[in-house]
Amino acid sequence: MACRVGPATADRTCFPGKEKPMTTETVRVHEVLEELIPFFMAKRQEDLAAWEDALVRGDAETLGAIGHRMKGTCASFGFTALTEMGRELEAMASSAALDQAAALLDACRAYLASVQVVVVRDQGF
């Protein structure tokens, strides 16, 4: 892994095996999604807990399902970095190559701890 930054100092996160770090992201969401963001973020925390549990059990099927769900849901809300993390987790699970899944989990936690969500009204979106 090129870098690993914990939530307390999360000005950068990165994906396992990637050379280029990803800067902290500000995600712009349309105002129609504003009321759903707290629920969306709570569900991501549930995903992280399920991800960790599945890792302990070596459950590639559950990890694949979590990755697939993250990929779709996060794309719908405009969280491109989380979408990519979901895509990577799903790919790891489908090939049963889970050796980097814990590092990806750490990156996902750091990202969620540092991402900023900005609600954009109709004008300027």
Side-chain angles (χ1 to χ4, degrees), residues 17 20 25 37 63 67-68 75 78-79 81 86 111 113:
K20 186 177 178 184
E25 187 171 335
I37 293 299
L63 289 168
H68 183 79
F79 285 75
Y111 175 85

Side-chain angles (χ1 to χ4, degrees), residues 26-31 116-121 125:
T26 298
V27 176
R28 296 170 39 149
V29 298
H30 193 272
E31 65 186 319
Q116 295 182 14
V117 178
V118 175
V119 175
V120 179
R121 307 294 173 214
F125 189 79

Side-chain angles (χ1 to χ4, degrees), residues 44-60:
R44 300 301 62 83
Q45 293 302 320
E46 290 176 18
D47 284 343
L48 295 181
W51 183 340
E52 187 167 30
D53 183 58
L55 269 176
V56 169
R57 294 180 286 111
D59 185 349

Side-chain angles (χ1 to χ4, degrees), residues 51-88:
W51 183 340
E52 187 167 30
D53 183 58
L55 269 176
V56 169
R57 294 180 286 111
D59 185 349
E61 184 177 341
T62 297
L63 289 168
I66 293 166
H68 183 79
R69 180 174 54 247
M70 281 180 60
K71 181 178 69 173
T73 304
C74 297
S76 296
F77 277 77
F79 285 75
T80 55
L82 288 177
T83 301
E84 181 60 28
M85 290 180 195
R87 182 177 290 114
E88 288 193 31

